[in-house]
Amino acid sequence: EVQLVQSGAEVKKPGESLKISCKGSGYNFAKYWIGWVRQLPGKGLEWVAIIYPGDSDTRYSPSLQGQVTISADKSISTAHLQWSSLKASDTAMYYCARQGDSAVYYAFDYWGQGTLVTVSS
Amino acid sequence: DIQMTQSPSSLSASEGDRVTITCRASQSISNKLNWYQQKPGKAPKLLIYAASSLQSGVPSRFSGSGSRTDFTLTIGSLQPEDFATYYCQQSYNTPQTFGQGTKLEIK
């Protein structure tokens, strides 16, 4: 059974750093793109970035590039999203999701449970 | 970036109704269009991929159609568990943008 399990909720202050994680199981982690989607409070879904764990190829949303860093460690089947200096505007729920293969036209077919990040002074 | 525009933003309907949600892309995306359902406090769930293919385990009352720039999601006969927010997403290129969502509420 494919599962994505994310790290727990975080409360941070502006300017602090943070790294959240998403551990995959039940499939060959290295061979599927995995992405992050954020949802600001009361708002819709926003595509953030994706990574191919097999070779660490990455793609970012132009509006968020430079604000976050996506990474993956295929040896422990875990993807990460990190910030070097958080802002209050980063407060959101962050979901990781597996991008399926060509059979599902690269839709996000499995999702993690979400990690709530709250940035407040 | 490809812009995805859904309409309506919200919709009130009754159990048993047939409802249609539309999604328009700012440029042709062939059939690289996916639909997701999200319930409050939960992660999104894939319903339809490639514009019209039903994801495994999704009830057949859900259907999708369209190509290039114009797409629709239809729910054939609303069930209580269908009241949720629905998002379209293009997987034609990155960033794989989402529509703004359509909230389906009970009338």
PDB file of all heavy atoms in Angstrom, chain B residues 22-42:
ATOM      1  N   THR B  22     -16.951  23.757 -14.337  1.00  0.00           N
ATOM      2  CA  THR B  22     -16.110  23.948 -15.506  1.00  0.00           C
ATOM      3  C   THR B  22     -14.738  24.485 -15.119  1.00  0.00           C
ATOM      4  O   THR B  22     -14.569  25.134 -14.082  1.00  0.00           O
ATOM      5  CB  THR B  22     -16.768  24.884 -16.522  1.00  0.00           C
ATOM      6  OG1 THR B  22     -16.888  26.193 -15.933  1.00  0.00           O
ATOM      7  CG2 THR B  22     -18.145  24.395 -16.908  1.00  0.00           C
ATOM      8  N   CYS B  23     -13.784  24.229 -15.976  1.00  0.00           N
ATOM      9  CA  CYS B  23     -12.408  24.651 -15.781  1.00  0.00           C
ATOM     10  C   CYS B  23     -11.858  25.064 -17.138  1.00  0.00           C
ATOM     11  O   CYS B  23     -11.996  24.316 -18.125  1.00  0.00           O
ATOM     12  CB  CYS B  23     -11.596  23.503 -15.196  1.00  0.00           C
ATOM     13  SG  CYS B  23      -9.844  23.835 -14.930  1.00  0.00           S
ATOM     14  N   ARG B  24     -11.265  26.248 -17.185  1.00  0.00           N
ATOM     15  CA  ARG B  24     -10.720  26.751 -18.441  1.00  0.00           C
ATOM     16  C   ARG B  24      -9.236  27.054 -18.270  1.00  0.00           C
ATOM     17  O   ARG B  24      -8.834  27.697 -17.291  1.00  0.00           O
ATOM     18  CB  ARG B  24     -11.467  28.005 -18.881  1.00  0.00           C
ATOM     19  CG  ARG B  24     -10.895  28.683 -20.123  1.00  0.00           C
ATOM     20  CD  ARG B  24     -11.875  29.639 -20.727  1.00  0.00           C
ATOM     21  NE  ARG B  24     -12.952  28.941 -21.414  1.00  0.00           N
ATOM     22  CZ  ARG B  24     -14.005  29.556 -21.973  1.00  0.00           C
ATOM     23  NH1 ARG B  24     -14.121  30.878 -21.910  1.00  0.00           N
ATOM     24  NH2 ARG B  24     -14.932  28.861 -22.570  1.00  0.00           N
ATOM     25  N   ALA B  25      -8.440  26.598 -19.221  1.00  0.00           N
ATOM     26  CA  ALA B  25      -7.003  26.860 -19.203  1.00  0.00           C
ATOM     27  C   ALA B  25      -6.681  28.053 -20.087  1.00  0.00           C
ATOM     28  O   ALA B  25      -7.346  28.282 -21.100  1.00  0.00           O
ATOM     29  CB  ALA B  25      -6.240  25.633 -19.688  1.00  0.00           C
ATOM     30  N   SER B  26      -5.643  28.791 -19.720  1.00  0.00           N
ATOM     31  CA  SER B  26      -5.269  29.992 -20.468  1.00  0.00           C
ATOM     32  C   SER B  26      -4.577  29.667 -21.785  1.00  0.00           C
ATOM     33  O   SER B  26      -4.383  30.560 -22.621  1.00  0.00           O
ATOM     34  CB  SER B  26      -4.369  30.886 -19.617  1.00  0.00           C
ATOM     35  OG  SER B  26      -3.194  30.201 -19.246  1.00  0.00           O
ATOM     36  N   GLN B  27      -4.186  28.410 -21.988  1.00  0.00           N
ATOM     37  CA  GLN B  27      -3.658  27.946 -23.258  1.00  0.00           C
ATOM     38  C   GLN B  27      -3.973  26.459 -23.381  1.00  0.00           C
ATOM     39  O   GLN B  27      -4.364  25.828 -22.387  1.00  0.00           O
ATOM     40  CB  GLN B  27      -2.145  28.174 -23.365  1.00  0.00           C
ATOM     41  CG  GLN B  27      -1.332  27.348 -22.396  1.00  0.00           C
ATOM     42  CD  GLN B  27       0.150  27.607 -22.510  1.00  0.00           C
ATOM     43  OE1 GLN B  27       0.649  28.662 -22.109  1.00  0.00           O
ATOM     44  NE2 GLN B  27       0.869  26.634 -23.065  1.00  0.00           N
ATOM     45  N   SER B  28      -3.784  25.904 -24.548  1.00  0.00           N
ATOM     46  CA  SER B  28      -4.094  24.488 -24.733  1.00  0.00           C
ATOM     47  C   SER B  28      -3.214  23.611 -23.845  1.00  0.00           C
ATOM     48  O   SER B  28      -1.998  23.806 -23.771  1.00  0.00           O
ATOM     49  CB  SER B  28      -3.884  24.076 -26.189  1.00  0.00           C
ATOM     50  OG  SER B  28      -4.084  22.687 -26.332  1.00  0.00           O
ATOM     51  N   ILE B  29      -3.878  22.664 -23.169  1.00  0.00           N
ATOM     52  CA  ILE B  29      -3.151  21.704 -22.330  1.00  0.00           C
ATOM     53  C   ILE B  29      -3.454  20.270 -22.785  1.00  0.00           C
ATOM     54  O   ILE B  29      -3.291  19.325 -22.016  1.00  0.00           O
ATOM     55  CB  ILE B  29      -3.474  21.884 -20.826  1.00  0.00           C
ATOM     56  CG1 ILE B  29      -4.987  21.765 -20.567  1.00  0.00           C
ATOM     57  CG2 ILE B  29      -2.942  23.218 -20.325  1.00  0.00           C
ATOM     58  CD1 ILE B  29      -5.337  21.702 -19.074  1.00  0.00           C
ATOM     59  N   SER B  30      -3.915  20.142 -24.044  1.00  0.00           N
ATOM     60  CA  SER B  30      -4.295  18.828 -24.551  1.00  0.00           C
ATOM     61  C   SER B  30      -5.344  18.229 -23.603  1.00  0.00           C
ATOM     62  O   SER B  30      -6.361  18.871 -23.334  1.00  0.00           O
ATOM     63  CB  SER B  30      -3.071  17.945 -24.703  1.00  0.00           C
ATOM     64  OG  SER B  30      -3.408  16.703 -25.267  1.00  0.00           O
ATOM     65  N   ASN B  31      -5.084  17.027 -23.088  1.00  0.00           N
ATOM     66  CA  ASN B  31      -6.008  16.438 -22.110  1.00  0.00           C
ATOM     67  C   ASN B  31      -5.338  16.275 -20.747  1.00  0.00           C
ATOM     68  O   ASN B  31      -5.753  15.457 -19.931  1.00  0.00           O
ATOM     69  CB  ASN B  31      -6.519  15.082 -22.594  1.00  0.00           C
ATOM     70  CG  ASN B  31      -5.415  14.049 -22.675  1.00  0.00           C
ATOM     71  OD1 ASN B  31      -4.237  14.393 -22.772  1.00  0.00           O
ATOM     72  ND2 ASN B  31      -5.782  12.782 -22.615  1.00  0.00           N
ATOM     73  N   LYS B  32      -4.315  17.062 -20.474  1.00  0.00           N
ATOM     74  CA  LYS B  32      -3.542  16.937 -19.228  1.00  0.00           C
ATOM     75  C   LYS B  32      -4.235  17.694 -18.098  1.00  0.00           C
ATOM     76  O   LYS B  32      -3.713  18.663 -17.531  1.00  0.00           O
ATOM     77  CB  LYS B  32      -2.112  17.448 -19.427  1.00  0.00           C
ATOM     78  CG  LYS B  32      -1.371  16.823 -20.595  1.00  0.00           C
ATOM     79  CD  LYS B  32      -1.124  15.353 -20.396  1.00  0.00           C
ATOM     80  CE  LYS B  32      -0.075  14.811 -21.357  1.00  0.00           C
ATOM     81  NZ  LYS B  32      -0.521  14.868 -22.763  1.00  0.00           N
ATOM     82  N   LEU B  33      -5.449  17.244 -17.773  1.00  0.00           N
ATOM     83  CA  LEU B  33      -6.268  17.934 -16.794  1.00  0.00           C
ATOM     84  C   LEU B  33      -6.759  16.929 -15.766  1.00  0.00           C
ATOM     85  O   LEU B  33      -7.274  15.848 -16.121  1.00  0.00           O
ATOM     86  CB  LEU B  33      -7.449  18.613 -17.515  1.00  0.00           C
ATOM     87  CG  LEU B  33      -8.367  19.596 -16.769  1.00  0.00           C
ATOM     88  CD1 LEU B  33      -9.367  18.905 -15.853  1.00  0.00           C
ATOM     89  CD2 LEU B  33      -7.560  20.621 -15.962  1.00  0.00           C
ATOM     90  N   ASN B  34      -6.569  17.282 -14.504  1.00  0.00           N
ATOM     91  CA  ASN B  34      -6.940  16.406 -13.396  1.00  0.00           C
ATOM     92  C   ASN B  34      -7.946  17.117 -12.499  1.00  0.00           C
ATOM     93  O   ASN B  34      -7.948  18.343 -12.406  1.00  0.00           O
ATOM     94  CB  ASN B  34      -5.700  16.050 -12.591  1.00  0.00           C
ATOM     95  CG  ASN B  34      -4.553  15.605 -13.477  1.00  0.00           C
ATOM     96  OD1 ASN B  34      -4.708  14.699 -14.288  1.00  0.00           O
ATOM     97  ND2 ASN B  34      -3.409  16.267 -13.359  1.00  0.00           N
ATOM     98  N   TRP B  35      -8.769  16.331 -11.828  1.00  0.00           N
ATOM     99  CA  TRP B  35      -9.751  16.852 -10.869  1.00  0.00           C
ATOM    100  C   TRP B  35      -9.525  16.210  -9.505  1.00  0.00           C
ATOM    101  O   TRP B  35      -9.310  14.998  -9.416  1.00  0.00           O
ATOM    102  CB  TRP B  35     -11.170  16.547 -11.325  1.00  0.00           C
ATOM    103  CG  TRP B  35     -11.646  17.324 -12.522  1.00  0.00           C
ATOM    104  CD1 TRP B  35     -11.654  16.897 -13.819  1.00  0.00           C
ATOM    105  CD2 TRP B  35     -12.195  18.651 -12.518  1.00  0.00           C
ATOM    106  NE1 TRP B  35     -12.176  17.878 -14.636  1.00  0.00           N
ATOM    107  CE2 TRP B  35     -12.518  18.971 -13.860  1.00  0.00           C
ATOM    108  CE3 TRP B  35     -12.437  19.604 -11.531  1.00  0.00           C
ATOM    109  CZ2 TRP B  35     -13.070  20.199 -14.228  1.00  0.00           C
ATOM    110  CZ3 TRP B  35     -12.998  20.811 -11.901  1.00  0.00           C
ATOM    111  CH2 TRP B  35     -13.305  21.108 -13.230  1.00  0.00           C
ATOM    112  N   TYR B  36      -9.595  17.027  -8.464  1.00  0.00           N
ATOM    113  CA  TYR B  36      -9.418  16.568  -7.090  1.00  0.00           C
ATOM    114  C   TYR B  36     -10.613  17.008  -6.257  1.00  0.00           C
ATOM    115  O   TYR B  36     -11.227  18.051  -6.515  1.00  0.00           O
ATOM    116  CB  TYR B  36      -8.147  17.160  -6.472  1.00  0.00           C
ATOM    117  CG  TYR B  36      -6.883  16.807  -7.203  1.00  0.00           C
ATOM    118  CD1 TYR B  36      -6.423  17.583  -8.255  1.00  0.00           C
ATOM    119  CD2 TYR B  36      -6.132  15.690  -6.851  1.00  0.00           C
ATOM    120  CE1 TYR B  36      -5.266  17.260  -8.947  1.00  0.00           C
ATOM    121  CE2 TYR B  36      -4.962  15.365  -7.526  1.00  0.00           C
ATOM    122  CZ  TYR B  36      -4.543  16.151  -8.575  1.00  0.00           C
ATOM    123  OH  TYR B  36      -3.394  15.834  -9.259  1.00  0.00           O
ATOM    124  N   GLN B  37     -10.889  16.220  -5.229  1.00  0.00           N
ATOM    125  CA  GLN B  37     -11.911  16.548  -4.240  1.00  0.00           C
ATOM    126  C   GLN B  37     -11.211  16.769  -2.908  1.00  0.00           C
ATOM    127  O   GLN B  37     -10.340  15.970  -2.534  1.00  0.00           O
ATOM    128  CB  GLN B  37     -12.890  15.379  -4.114  1.00  0.00           C
ATOM    129  CG  GLN B  37     -13.960  15.548  -3.050  1.00  0.00           C
ATOM    130  CD  GLN B  37     -14.662  14.221  -2.773  1.00  0.00           C
ATOM    131  OE1 GLN B  37     -14.071  13.274  -2.289  1.00  0.00           O
ATOM    132  NE2 GLN B  37     -15.945  14.159  -3.113  1.00  0.00           N
ATOM    133  N   GLN B  38     -11.584  17.814  -2.198  1.00  0.00           N
ATOM    134  CA  GLN B  38     -11.027  18.044  -0.866  1.00  0.00           C
ATOM    135  C   GLN B  38     -12.149  18.305   0.125  1.00  0.00           C
ATOM    136  O   GLN B  38     -12.991  19.187  -0.100  1.00  0.00           O
ATOM    137  CB  GLN B  38     -10.042  19.209  -0.844  1.00  0.00           C
ATOM    138  CG  GLN B  38      -9.325  19.347   0.503  1.00  0.00           C
ATOM    139  CD  GLN B  38      -8.359  20.497   0.564  1.00  0.00           C
ATOM    140  OE1 GLN B  38      -8.573  21.532  -0.050  1.00  0.00           O
ATOM    141  NE2 GLN B  38      -7.279  20.331   1.340  1.00  0.00           N
ATOM    142  N   LYS B  39     -12.141  17.550   1.205  1.00  0.00           N
ATOM    143  CA  LYS B  39     -13.081  17.754   2.300  1.00  0.00           C
ATOM    144  C   LYS B  39     -12.380  18.510   3.413  1.00  0.00           C
ATOM    145  O   LYS B  39     -11.143  18.448   3.519  1.00  0.00           O
ATOM    146  CB  LYS B  39     -13.627  16.414   2.776  1.00  0.00           C
ATOM    147  CG  LYS B  39     -14.445  15.720   1.687  1.00  0.00           C
ATOM    148  CD  LYS B  39     -15.047  14.420   2.155  1.00  0.00           C
ATOM    149  CE  LYS B  39     -15.864  13.805   1.018  1.00  0.00           C
ATOM    150  NZ  LYS B  39     -16.448  12.502   1.401  1.00  0.00           N
ATOM    151  N   PRO B  40     -13.127  19.233   4.248  1.00  0.00           N
ATOM    152  CA  PRO B  40     -12.500  20.061   5.288  1.00  0.00           C
ATOM    153  C   PRO B  40     -11.555  19.262   6.168  1.00  0.00           C
ATOM    154  O   PRO B  40     -11.894  18.172   6.658  1.00  0.00           O
ATOM    155  CB  PRO B  40     -13.700  20.583   6.080  1.00  0.00           C
ATOM    156  CG  PRO B  40     -14.811  20.609   5.097  1.00  0.00           C
ATOM    157  CD  PRO B  40     -14.591  19.408   4.216  1.00  0.00           C
ATOM    158  N   GLY B  41     -10.356  19.794   6.359  1.00  0.00           N
ATOM    159  CA  GLY B  41      -9.377  19.171   7.234  1.00  0.00           C
ATOM    160  C   GLY B  41      -8.691  17.946   6.655  1.00  0.00           C
ATOM    161  O   GLY B  41      -7.933  17.275   7.372  1.00  0.00           O
ATOM    162  N   LYS B  42      -8.954  17.659   5.386  1.00  0.00           N
ATOM    163  CA  LYS B  42      -8.371  16.466   4.759  1.00  0.00           C
ATOM    164  C   LYS B  42      -7.504  16.835   3.561  1.00  0.00           C
ATOM    165  O   LYS B  42      -7.647  17.915   2.981  1.00  0.00           O
ATOM    166  CB  LYS B  42      -9.487  15.521   4.283  1.00  0.00           C
ATOM    167  CG  LYS B  42     -10.377  15.013   5.395  1.00  0.00           C
ATOM    168  CD  LYS B  42      -9.620  14.112   6.352  1.00  0.00           C
ATOM    169  CE  LYS B  42     -10.539  13.463   7.348  1.00  0.00           C
ATOM    170  NZ  LYS B  42      -9.796  12.642   8.336  1.00  0.00           N
TER     171      LYS B  42
END
